[in-house]
Amino acid sequence: AEYLRIAIAENLLWRDRNGSWSVAENLRNELKSEGIDTKLPLPQSLFELVSRRFNTLTEATRNQMPVAAVFGRETELELLQQVTSLEDESILDATIELVHLGILERRQDTLLRFSHDKFREVAYNLLSEGQRRKLHRSIAQTIEEIYHSKLEPQYTHLGYHWEQAGALDKARHYYRKGGELAETKKALNEAKKLYHKYLRLTIKPTEE
């Protein structure tokens, strides 16, 4: 369904007067070159379609979107602004554009969410491994700064971002803290998952 919606929005797929579906010539040729039957376009070209939509975005919006993807499926506007260093007006304009195009949706006044995980996946893949590590580190540092007096709800996020940034000691610390917190709340399945992540990053026994 998402594949069809994007193709229609990009004028690559439409219904003719008889109600039959037609495929744009450029997409038809692209699909044929990949050995895909143009009578039934398959999701293999979804990455190209999503990327094509991203290419229509303004520069400020293109800069914001991969950062949002590194946060995850959802992100807080305040955190996004801190990491991108965009002015209020710029980040608002970029957010409006992404929501208008159906790439992001507002869940609350301060919470943004990718409308489909495929959008996030493509945006994330636009970044090099080095760029991802740098952004994960920046996000983790920003979370620590903003929520320094109330870090407990952020333990899992911090563990994940520090792990992706390559700072395994810090990741282990937050996974362990998250596991302990979950255990006190009797959320045993969550505690088990976080302890498993902690142990996975533990190469040799520690005092912890």
Side-chain angles (χ1 to χ4, degrees), residues 183-200:
E183 196 172 3
T184 62
K185 294 182 176 181
K186 307 301 181 183
L188 300 184
N189 287 335
E190 180 66 13
K192 182 178 179 180
K193 290 178 183 178
L194 291 170
Y195 283 140
H196 176 76
K197 290 180 179 180
Y198 164 77
L199 292 172
R200 176 170 50 80

Side-chain angles (χ1 to χ4, degrees), residues 16-188:
D16 60 23
R17 293 179 178 178
N18 297 320
S20 300
W21 287 104
S22 297
V23 181
E25 189 64 27
N26 59 337
L27 178 58
R28 186 187 303 276
N29 293 335
E30 183 178 321
L31 292 170
K32 283 184 177 179
S33 69
E34 297 175 6
I36 299 173
D37 184 359
T38 56
K39 294 180 181 179
L40 183 61
L42 299 175
Q44 284 95 322
S45 290
L46 184 55
F47 183 92
E48 288 79 6
L49 289 178
V50 174
S51 298
R52 191 176 287 122
R53 172 172 287 195
F54 287 174
N55 289 336
T56 67
L57 300 173
T58 62
E59 182 178 356
T61 304
R62 285 200 304 272
N63 291 337
Q64 174 181 316
M65 188 177 54
V67 179
V70 175
F71 271 102
R73 185 75 184 268
E74 295 183 340
T75 180
E76 292 280 350
L77 261 176
E78 182 181 5
L79 291 173
L80 187 59
Q81 182 178 7
Q82 290 286 335
V83 174
T84 57
S85 299
L86 291 174
E87 299 293 333
D88 288 346
E89 185 175 349
S90 296
I91 201 167
L92 179 59
D93 289 343
T95 299
I96 290 173
E97 183 177 5
L98 290 169
V99 171
H100 176 71
L101 290 172
I103 295 173
L104 292 180
E105 54 189 17
R106 300 286 291 263
R107 304 294 286 187
Q108 299 171 10
D109 288 342
T110 61
L111 186 65
L112 294 173
R113 184 175 189 269
F114 279 92
S115 59
H116 194 284
D117 199 53
K118 182 59 66 174
F119 286 137
R120 177 187 175 270
E121 179 185 335
V122 174
Y124 192 79
N125 287 333
L126 293 175
L127 299 166
S128 68
E129 184 175 346
Q131 289 173 317
R132 293 173 194 168
R133 283 180 176 269
K134 184 177 180 180
L135 283 170
H136 279 295
R137 175 176 291 275
S138 180
I139 289 169
Q141 291 172 335
T142 301
I143 291 174
E144 288 180 334
E145 179 182 343
I146 292 179
Y147 298 107
H148 65 91
S149 62
K150 195 177 180 181
L151 274 181
E152 288 187 351
Q154 305 297 328
Y155 285 158
T156 301
H157 297 305
L158 285 166
Y160 168 73
H161 287 299
W162 279 124
E163 180 182 357
Q164 296 305 311
L168 302 188
D169 285 346
K170 299 204 72 166
R172 286 174 55 255
H173 168 75
Y174 284 116
Y175 283 143
R176 179 176 60 82
K177 297 286 284 185
E180 291 171 350
L181 179 63
E183 196 172 3
T184 62
K185 294 182 176 181
K186 307 301 181 183
L188 300 184

